[in-house]
């Protein structure tokens, strides 16, 4: 879903108080806790995360899931072990209402992605 917003706080305020907002809040916290230099903004009407001007994640609440757009997933998790059991696209990880974020390998995936990005790796599709 696209929201007519300008700031991350407006984005969060525009969401309904349901399971999607909670999942989005948790994923946002996991990302921001990885490194103090991560900047949060809005890009393509979604939450956007970057380091030194290089965007590496987008977060968005859809009708039936929350999406984490992260470039090419296989560049971060070539074996596919970290995201087992999640709904995946080439560059999108989808979290449904019933999926518990704490029971996935998303923390390690995010940590790996940021390390690769800081090492100069290209994570794009």
């Amino acid at each position: 879903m696209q929201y007519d917003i300008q700031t991350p706080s407006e984005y969060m305020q525009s969401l309904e108080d349901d399971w999607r907002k909670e999942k989005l809040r948790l994923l946002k916290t996991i990302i921001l806790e990885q490194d103090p230099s991560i900047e949060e903004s809005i890009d393509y009407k979604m939450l956007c995360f970057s380091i030194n001007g290089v965007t590496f994640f987008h977060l968005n609440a859809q009708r039936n899931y929350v999406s984490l757009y992260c470039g090419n997933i296989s560049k971060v998790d070539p074996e596919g072990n970290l995201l087992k059991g999640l709904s995946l696209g080439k560059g999108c990880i989808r979290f449904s209402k019933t999926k518990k974020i704490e029971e996935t390998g998303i923390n390690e995936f995010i940590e790996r992605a940021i390390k690769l990005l800081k090492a100069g790796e290209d994570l794009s599709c």
Side-chain angles (χ1 to χ4, degrees):
M1 296 164 80
Q2 290 191 346
Y3 302 94
D4 189 23
I5 41 84
Q6 303 299 316
T7 67
S9 60
E10 285 179 5
Y11 181 93
M12 294 304 288
Q13 289 172 1
S14 70
L15 297 174
E16 294 178 36
D17 285 327
D18 64 8
W19 64 271
R20 294 172 303 152
K21 190 171 192 173
E22 287 305 311
K23 287 197 186 302
L24 214 105
R25 188 176 289 132
L26 180 55
L27 288 166
K28 177 179 162 176
T29 300
I30 292 169
I31 293 167
L32 292 174
E33 286 179 345
Q34 296 297 318
D35 189 299
S37 67
I38 294 174
E39 298 173 11
E40 181 185 16
S41 61
I42 297 295
D43 188 28
Y44 300 109
K45 297 186 179 185
M46 295 183 275
L47 292 174
C48 169
F49 301 90
S50 60
I51 294 177
N52 298 326
V54 178
T55 299
F56 58 94
F57 289 138
H58 285 86
L59 265 177
N60 197 31
Q62 306 291 345
R63 177 167 290 144
N64 297 314
Y65 54 87
V66 170
S67 300
L68 174 63
Y69 298 95
C70 55
N72 191 331
I73 291 170
S74 65
K75 290 181 181 180
V76 179
D77 185 19
E79 304 85 26
N81 296 328
L82 296 175
L83 304 176
K84 200 171 279 188
L86 291 171
S87 173
L88 306 175
K90 183 176 180 183
C92 174
I93 305 166
R94 297 176 208 89
F95 296 89
S96 64
K97 182 177 184 175
T98 59
K99 187 56 69 177
K100 294 185 179 178
I101 291 173
E102 308 81 23
E103 295 175 359
T104 70
I106 195 64
N107 286 35
E108 188 175 343
F109 178 88
I110 290 170
E111 185 179 332
R112 268 194 209 176
I114 292 170
K115 283 182 183 175
L116 290 169
L117 179 72
K118 288 177 129 184
E121 296 290 326
D122 176 18
L123 302 181
S124 62
C125 293

